[in-house]
Amino acid sequence: MRRSLAFLFGALLAGVLAAPAVAADADGSEGADGFTIKDPRITESSGLVASRAHPGVYWTHNDSDDGAFLYAVDSRTGETVATVTMSGVGAPRDVEAISIGPDGNLYVGDIGDNLGGTWDHVWIYELPEPKQLKDQTIRATQYDVKYADGARDAEALMVHPKTGRVYIASKNEDGGGLYEGPAQLSTSGTNTFKRIDDIDLWVTDGAFSPDGKQLAVRGYFGGIAYEWNGGKLKKQGRLSVPLQGQGESVTYTPDGSTLLYGSEGGESSVEAGNVPGGGGKSPSEGGGSAAGDDGGDGGDGPNADFKMGAIALAVALAVVFGLKRLLRRG
């Protein structure tokens, strides 16, 4: 995937400072406290989704051209409990996202564009979530995808949990777009995704809440929760996204009470955060919003991303220069 200065600033700062994650509700939801991915093969975790068939298990994958592999990670131990090899999909190019539909099928987005938005088509793979957690090969259905307004780089694919419709959020430093796919994806021709709204963020992933009423999108330094309203987005609040080396993924716990944020890197951590509006829970149930989730603009969007990047750069450079001075004195 394409890298940028803003990402490099954030990654440098993350290596210097450790930011605590927002405390998750102690409601017993599997994975709500976060976990660490321990599989040494998973070094570029770029998508994350909670299993519907296996409580406590989360599916992830590497990005770029790692291969047609999906990994089932047990959130209680951080260990991989199954590796699925997708067949029937050719050679994946840049797998960036994973979601799950109301039918229990997994949807994998081979939608990244290392050429900055110049590939004439990308792909979505659909396969049933396995009933047994074991290493196995599963045949997937491959869909060709194009955008009505031309090629786009994208890292966020979301399947609505009620309608089963597939959406993609494009990635751009100046803000992305929300694209809606056909009511049903087809294998017989190209599936054209049409832009239906703007996303005021440099998006690296997104997810629908389990009830389908909220859409959460994240970037490297921030995130936004939107009320869904049938695709007419209404900003609901800011997300308290933890500082991570390269924040690439977000998903809800199965009960919708907690958001989980993942990052690339070896033994990367998945960190928990609150859900604006309480994730469908009343305030008395401990589901209050994170600080700053006031539903207003409040500095959201690409400008906020770059402000955070500037702060990250300033702190990181100060530390680096300070260390250099100490070494010279030594």
Side-chain angles (χ1 to χ4, degrees), residues 28-37 48-60 71-82 129 133 251-255 260 270:
S29 179
E30 296 289 353
D33 293 328
F35 54 96
T36 298
I37 297 174
L48 191 69
V49 70
S51 168
R52 297 296 183 267
H54 308 286
V57 168
Y58 288 80
W59 292 97
T60 189
Y71 305 96
V73 178
D74 189 337
S75 62
R76 290 158 290 203
T77 65
E79 302 287 350
T80 296
V81 291
E129 183 178 13
L133 289 175
T251 191
Y252 289 80
T253 52
D255 67 353
L260 295 177
V270 176

Side-chain angles (χ1 to χ4, degrees), residues 5-322:
L5 287 176
F7 153 66
L8 292 174
F9 300 160
L12 181 58
L13 179 61
V16 178
L17 300 176
V22 178
D25 294 333
D27 58 2
S29 179
E30 296 289 353
D33 293 328
F35 54 96
T36 298
I37 297 174
K38 298 180 180 178
D39 191 329
R41 297 173 297 174
I42 306 173
T43 58
E44 294 183 304
S45 176
S46 190
L48 191 69
V49 70
S51 168
R52 297 296 183 267
H54 308 286
V57 168
Y58 288 80
W59 292 97
T60 189
H61 54 82
N62 288 314
D63 74 0
S64 300
D65 55 357
D66 174 64
F69 306 117
L70 304 177
Y71 305 96
V73 178
D74 189 337
S75 62
R76 290 158 290 203
T77 65
E79 302 287 350
T80 296
V81 291
T83 301
V84 168
T85 303
M86 294 182 290
S87 65
V89 300
R93 191 163 50 189
D94 193 356
V95 178
E96 291 286 355
I98 187 169
S99 187
I100 197 164
D103 55 2
N105 284 356
L106 294 168
Y107 290 75
V108 181
D110 191 355
I111 56 175
D113 192 335
N114 285 319
L115 300 179
T118 58
W119 283 327
D120 62 355
H121 70 279
V122 291
W123 300 302
I124 294 173
Y125 313 129
E126 179 185 3
L127 67 156
E129 183 178 13
K131 295 181 180 180
Q132 292 183 318
L133 289 175
K134 62 180 182 179
D135 293 350
Q136 57 192 294
T137 298
I138 299 178
R139 185 167 187 83
T141 301
Q142 178 172 309
Y143 303 105
D144 282 342
V145 169
K146 290 186 177 182
Y147 303 98
D149 55 356
R152 293 287 182 274
D153 186 19
E155 296 188 11
L157 178 145
M158 302 79 62
V159 181
H160 195 273
K162 301 301 181 183
T163 67
R165 200 157 193 160
V166 183
Y167 296 85
I168 294 174
S170 63
K171 180 185 181 185
N172 189 284
E173 290 91 336
D174 297 323
L178 180 67
Y179 290 81
E180 181 180 70
Q184 290 187 337
L185 298 178
S186 172
T187 58
S188 61
T190 300
N191 296 273
T192 300
F193 278 60
K194 299 178 180 179
R195 188 170 182 139
I196 61 172
D197 213 330
D198 297 331
I199 300 288
D200 191 23
L201 190 74
W202 189 12
V203 182
T204 60
D205 201 16
F208 282 111
S209 60
D211 62 8
K213 296 180 179 180
Q214 187 177 74
L215 172 65
V217 291
R218 73 159 298 173
Y220 293 125
F221 305 113
I224 304 173
Y226 292 97
E227 291 182 10
W228 178 238
N229 296 325
K232 296 180 180 179
L233 301 182
K234 179 181 178 182
K235 191 177 292 185
Q236 189 175 15
R238 297 189 301 265
L239 300 179
S240 297
V241 176
L243 183 63
Q244 296 174 306
Q246 187 178 341
E248 288 276 333
S249 61
V250 65
T251 191
Y252 289 80
T253 52
D255 67 353
S257 67
T258 304
L259 281 163
L260 295 177
Y261 300 94
S263 174
E264 290 194 4
E267 293 194 357
S268 61
S269 62
V270 176
E271 302 185 43
N274 288 343
V275 178
K281 303 173 73 176
S282 67
S284 62
E285 292 177 286
S289 301
D293 295 334
D294 55 7
D297 289 345
D300 290 331
N303 289 337
D305 269 9
F306 285 113
K307 288 178 182 177
M308 287 295 295
I311 294 171
L313 174 62
V315 175
L317 289 177
V319 172
V320 171
F321 290 146

